[in-house]
Structures are given as structure tokens and as C-alpha cells.
């Protein structure tokens, strides 16, 4: 189920990567999970998928489904909520974050 709190947190991370405030990656993941859980209630799982450079949802999910770790996050039966956020950098590179709780 889509969740606006998770979407906001995911968008913030994507924006920070696009603005080069944080490096491309999962830095701060535990804090994002804690923030999400404190706002909407803790779940039994928290996971995050990121990707950069893709411009379509098809390509994003293709890459995630062909990566064992990313696919495991998407198929985790304990995940009940999801939020996707994206941002475009000044050099037109897309950053995407999917936060799962």
C-alpha cells in the first residue's frame, strides 16, 4: 500500500542525492527507517531500494527485479507500506528511492 509519509521521506533522500548533499547510496537508511516508524508505526521490516539514471518505471523495476537483494526487498512478505520518491539533478540525472516498511 502506498504511504505518503514514506513517499515524503523517499523524496527527501532522492533530492539530497540529486543535490549532492549526501552521496549516492544508503547513507542515513537507519535514520529514515526510524523516522518512518515513529510517524506511522513500526513494521516488522524496513528496506530501501535506490537507483539512479533510469527514466521509466519499467526500467526501474526491471533492474530491481533482476538484482537478488533488491528483489528480496520487493518480495518481502513483512512489508506492508511503500513510498517512492524521485528527484532530478541539475545535470539531468534521475535519482529514485523506494522506502518499504
Amino acid at each position: 500500500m502506498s504511504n505518503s509519509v514514506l513517499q515524503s521521506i523517499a523524496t527527501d533522500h532522492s533530492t539530497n542525492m540529486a543535490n549532492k548533499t549526501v552521496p549516492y547510496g544508503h547513507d542515513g537508511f537507519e535514520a529514515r527507517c526510524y523516522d518512518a516508524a515513529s510517524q506511522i508505526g513500526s513494521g516488522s521490516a524496513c528496506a530501501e531500494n535506490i537507483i539512479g539514471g533510469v527514466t521509466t518505471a519499467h526500467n526501474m523495476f526491471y533492474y530491481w527485479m533482476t538484482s537478488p537483494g533488491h528483489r528480496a526487498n520487493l518480495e518481502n512478505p513483512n512489508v506492508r507500506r511503500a513510498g517512492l520518491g524521485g528527484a532530478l539533478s541539475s545535470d539531468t540525472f534521475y535519482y529514485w528511492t523506494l522506502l518499504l516498511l
Side-chain angles (χ1 to χ4, degrees):
M1 172 184 290
S2 178
N3 182 278
S4 61
V5 170
L6 295 177
Q7 181 181 356
S8 177
I9 294 168
T11 299
D12 287 347
H13 183 55
S14 294
T15 300
N16 288 335
M17 288 189 293
N19 293 339
K20 311 290 190 257
T21 307
V22 299
Y24 176 77
H26 297 284
D27 288 359
F29 166 68
E30 290 179 8
R32 285 187 292 283
C33 283
Y34 178 81
D35 187 22
S38 67
Q39 291 187 57
I40 61 176
S42 61
S44 58
C46 187
E48 178 178 80
N49 287 354
I50 63 168
I51 193 165
V54 300
T55 58
T56 68
H58 177 269
N59 287 344
M60 178 188 322
F61 284 100
Y62 172 81
Y63 288 117
W64 284 341
M65 291 301 286
T66 58
S67 164
H70 293 102
R71 185 177 187 140
N73 288 342
L74 294 171
E75 294 178 341
N76 185 331
N78 296 314
V79 166
R80 300 285 184 250
R81 301 172 194 93
L84 177 67
L88 182 62
S89 69
S90 61
D91 59 354
T92 66
F93 191 84
Y94 285 91
Y95 292 85
W96 298 98
T97 303
L98 177 66
L99 190 58
L100 305 158
L101 188 67

